[in-house]
Amino acid sequence: MIPMTLAEIAAVVDGRPVADDPRLTVTGPVEFDSRKVRPGGLFVAFPGEKVDGHDYAAAAVAQRGAVGVLGSRAVDGVPMVLVDDARVAMGRLARAVLDRLPELTVIGLTGSSGKTTTKDLVGQLTARLGPTVAPAGSFNNELGHPYTALQADADTRYLVLEKGARGIGHVRYLCEIAPPRIAVVTNVGTSHIGEFGSVEAIAQAKGELVEALPAAGLAVLNADDPRVRAMAVRTAARVVLVGEAGDADVRAEDVTLDERGRPSYTLVTPNGRVPVRLGVSGRHQVGNTLAAAAVALDLGMPLAELPEALGALVLPSTRRMDVFDRADGVTVIDDSYNANPGSMAAALHALAAMGRGRRTVAVLGYMAELGEFERDGHAQVGRLAAELGVDRLLVVGETAAPIRDGAVAVADWGGESVLVTDQQAAIGLLRRELRSGDVVLVKGSRYRTWDVVDALREAAVGPQGGAR
Ligand SMILES: Nc1ncnc2c1ncn2[C@@H]1O[C@H](COP(=O)(O)OP(=O)(O)OP(=O)(O)O)[C@@H](O)[C@H]1O
Ligand SMILES: [Mg+2]
């Protein structure tokens, strides 16, 4: 963190310093896991039902070298900044730090799918332009957001932040913590529709990102998603449309996919056109990389650099479109991080593209948080799998059964589906059935298919697509 005394921190978080010397200065990172605290840092103690961070406050200072602790209860002998709610205080502290970094550009991303992926892509491009904070992983809520923002310091030029929402007002709140100058909205789908109630409400919530932009800002909007495109009227900022639509300002033409599902396209911009050949898999990476390119162009990257820069992009966050080969000739697409109908569709299209001339197997698990849309959402995914001609569909768990129902309802589907009780059963079946040449997609909402893909990975041969 930028150097701040406990007294200064108390002032900006609306707290009270409780320390013999309130001029003690924090110079190190802010951590809420006491094991990660480093000398000179600040430890944030959260009260918890199982674990109370305050129990670790003394050790964070004495053993790990923290300068002080931000928390809601005084601890004997520990220099503290006392607040009512440490979570709110962490947000305020992040905002105060960002306000002191005038040379920093904050780039915020939201959308139903592809926030982390696109954040990672944007971060790799901005890193070519200047010091960037864009850590791998999601960090998109009221805790992860300020935590990430607090990693910016006087050297940082670009802070790339994912903004998640489970309800109206969430993105707005995250924008108060870290006001973006550039905003990217990937898409509006049905993830978390259980909490939101309707797709319109989701669009409303995601659009709060562009509402937070200043007039001198930039909104990068997906031209191919009508609900995202419609957000143009909700911002004072300049709008750049990206996509395959003819009127998109930053556009992809002549998209093709190779045998590994990696897109190539012609990148068309107001300043010229260049050929792009991506190293990441999935047709949805076209839109994600267009958004990243639009951000980089706005920040001054020359168009001529983009073919190389886009071609070099990788997916550092785990379990997202991680394509790997096994010694037995089976290719696996690990997209198991999370799932909703939109990202399931993207992944099934990737499987179909990679499966030309090969047998395709989709191992699909339950999609959480769909609420009333749950049955239809699963059935829709099954239907698409069948329509795309997936050869073998393994549906994991009774809760995901409507995927199978959707698939078998497609009259002319030549494939087969099977419903297995759990991941272990899926692993057993795959061990018996998989043969050289197969392409296997593994996907479901968090952890529902992680054991399956981890078992498949045991026989992986390097080098692999994504980092592990
Ligand atoms: N543009 C896209 N359209 C559809 N699916 C996508 C897109 N980009 C990435 N995905 C897929 O969506 C899933 C989630 O990706 P990612 O983690 O990037 O999204 P996220 O929006 O950050 O999700 P979360 O809300 O869980 O944080 C992955 O399976 C990924 O491959
Ligand atoms: Mg994410």
Side-chain angles (χ1 to χ4, degrees), residues 111-117 138 140 162 187 284 288 320-321 335 337-338 342-343 346 443 446:
S112 293
S113 305
K115 294 181 290 297
T116 298
T117 301
S138 243
N140 67 12
E162 170 175 348
N187 47 51
H284 55 292
N288 294 346
R320 290 151 177 102
M321 275 314 203
D335 201 38
Y337 175 68
N338 208 353
S343 69
K443 190 165 176 68
R446 299 219 161 97

Side-chain angles (χ1 to χ4, degrees), residues 98-164:
L98 297 183
D99 284 347
R100 292 172 190 207
L101 300 174
E103 298 200 47
L104 181 75
T105 299
V106 177
I107 302 155
L109 299 99
T110 196
S112 293
S113 305
K115 294 181 290 297
T116 298
T117 301
T118 310
K119 178 262 298 166
D120 289 340
L121 302 178
V122 169
Q124 287 166 66
L125 296 186
T126 60
R128 290 169 173 255
L129 300 168
T132 293
V133 170
S138 243
F139 300 111
N140 67 12
N141 61 19
E142 74 281 6
L143 185 58
H145 202 67
Y147 178 74
T148 308
L150 283 164
Q151 293 171 30
D153 62 22
D155 294 331
T156 314
R157 289 295 168 270
Y158 305 104
L159 172 63
V160 193
L161 292 171
E162 170 175 348
K163 301 197 188 245

Side-chain angles (χ1 to χ4, degrees), residues 385-411:
E387 284 164 4
L388 288 170
V390 167
D391 297 304
R392 190 88 168 105
L393 179 61
L394 242 78
V395 178
V396 186
E398 190 59 43
T399 50
I403 297 181
R404 177 203 51 192
D405 303 341
V408 298
V410 175

Side-chain angles (χ1 to χ4, degrees), residues 17-73:
V18 179
D20 291 340
D21 182 2
R23 286 167 308 176
L24 282 172
T25 304
V26 174
T27 53
V30 179
E31 298 290 351
F32 50 85
D33 177 340
S34 62
R35 293 163 297 187
K36 289 193 180 161
V37 170
R38 280 188 275 144
L42 179 73
F43 173 56
V44 183
F46 291 113
E49 275 166 29
K50 290 203 193 96
V51 188
D52 185 342
H54 297 86
D55 295 343
Y56 298 87
V61 173
Q63 288 160 27
R64 310 285 312 176
V67 168
V69 176
L70 177 66
S72 46
R73 164 163 75 73

